[in-house]
Amino acid sequence: YVLPMFEVTWAPALSVFSIAMESANGLNKIGASTTDLEREHMEEISQASTQVCLEGLRLGTRIAGLCNLELARNTFINALLNFAALGTGKVMDSRHVRCLECLFDIALEEGQVLGNTWEHVFKIVSEVSRLKQVFERLKTDETFVSAPVPDSGTEEEDSTVELTEKAIDEFNAQRVSEIIDSAKIDKIFQLSATLSEQAVHEFVLQLCRVSRMEISGYGGGV
């Protein structure tokens, strides 16, 4: 009964989650006349809406994997990747980092059914590790206090654009490092020992594939 119902409902459900996630990101467009109490209330609603959407995406990935619907599973994972905005050169807010946490939770809880989408997980692990290294270097810089939020809305000369990209990377490195626990990443590899033979095969295959991409210098980004 589950398979035919899910085949009919997963795409509309994903559309609803996507629209709700985008709508929850509109707090920066609130007018100046909004009171602090109203803003706080809207922030609570936004956080709750985001959490429901993330749970829907997580469960959708699980059901798709259990039903062997590769298209649905891959689409749910790709949606989370897009919402995370990792490696896109954009400033990451708390919503983006929560999407990363959701992806890591899926890797921990649903690794048995991830199949070839392990590739995306390992690319995320690689980028998060890089950002953590950036933040570790920043902490040794005596002049570093807090990575500024860059203004990407203006067009400047090439040198200024490069500085802006650097500032964005540093800001994202700080935000990701403060929220994402490295122990969770380590646990993904530790729990791979509990996967079935087929799942372990896919796990190792995609790990080697992403590693080869990075070593060769192509396709290694998220």
Side-chain angles (χ1 to χ4, degrees):
Y1 296 107
V2 174
L3 177 58
M5 288 191 295
F6 188 71
E7 284 182 318
V8 172
T9 59
W10 74 263
L14 179 59
S15 297
V16 172
F17 297 147
S18 300
I19 293 172
M21 285 283 285
E22 290 297 335
S23 299
N25 194 37
L27 293 178
N28 58 335
K29 301 177 182 178
I30 297 176
S33 60
T34 306
T35 65
D36 291 341
L37 184 61
E38 290 173 333
R39 179 176 288 274
E40 181 179 347
H41 179 62
M42 295 180 71
E43 176 66 25
E44 291 177 356
I45 294 175
S46 174
Q47 294 287 339
S49 176
T50 298
Q51 184 57 41
V52 170
C53 292
L54 291 177
E55 183 67 7
L57 291 168
R58 185 186 70 81
L59 292 176
T61 302
R62 180 180 187 182
I63 296 172
L66 291 173
C67 293
N68 294 318
L69 295 176
E70 290 189 10
L71 176 60
R73 181 197 62 202
N74 295 356
T75 306
F76 276 111
I77 292 294
N78 282 324
L80 273 170
L81 280 172
N82 291 334
F83 289 134
L86 189 65
T88 62
K90 298 179 180 179
V91 175
M92 297 178 67
D93 57 29
S94 59
R95 178 183 63 114
H96 297 131
V97 182
R98 289 176 70 185
C99 289
L100 285 180
E101 289 185 299
C102 182
L103 282 163
F104 284 139
D105 288 339
I106 289 174
L108 288 170
E109 300 169 10
E110 319 298 344
Q112 189 66 35
V113 298
L114 283 183
N116 60 10
T117 55
W118 273 115
E119 175 189 346
H120 302 305
V121 174
F122 291 133
K123 286 182 177 180
I124 292 170
V125 168
S126 177
E127 180 65 10
V128 168
S129 298
R130 185 192 70 81
L131 289 174
K132 284 182 174 291
Q133 291 175 359
V134 170
F135 186 57
E136 288 301 316
R137 290 197 297 269
L138 287 175
K139 289 195 298 184
T140 62
D141 185 355
E142 296 179 355
T143 63
F144 174 73
V145 177
S146 179
V149 181
D151 180 10
S152 58
T154 59
E155 295 183 0
E156 303 289 346
E157 296 179 358
D158 291 343
S159 59
T160 305
V161 171
E162 291 178 1
L163 290 175
T164 301
E165 291 175 352
K166 181 175 181 292
I168 292 174
D169 199 47
E170 292 177 352
F171 177 82
N172 290 343
Q174 180 180 355
R175 171 151 284 176
V176 168
S177 298
E178 291 174 346
I179 299 177
I180 301 295
D181 187 0
S182 296
K184 180 174 288 189
I185 297 176
D186 295 337
K187 196 173 181 180
I188 292 174
F189 292 94
Q190 293 168 5
L191 289 180
S192 64
T194 65
L195 299 176
S196 67
E197 182 178 348
Q198 181 179 355
V200 167
H201 173 78
E202 197 65 52
F203 181 96
V204 174
L205 176 65
Q206 298 304 329
L207 176 60
C208 293
R209 185 169 185 267
V210 172
S211 299
R212 186 174 66 249
M213 288 180 181
E214 293 183 339
I215 293 172
S216 301
Y218 69 94
V222 174

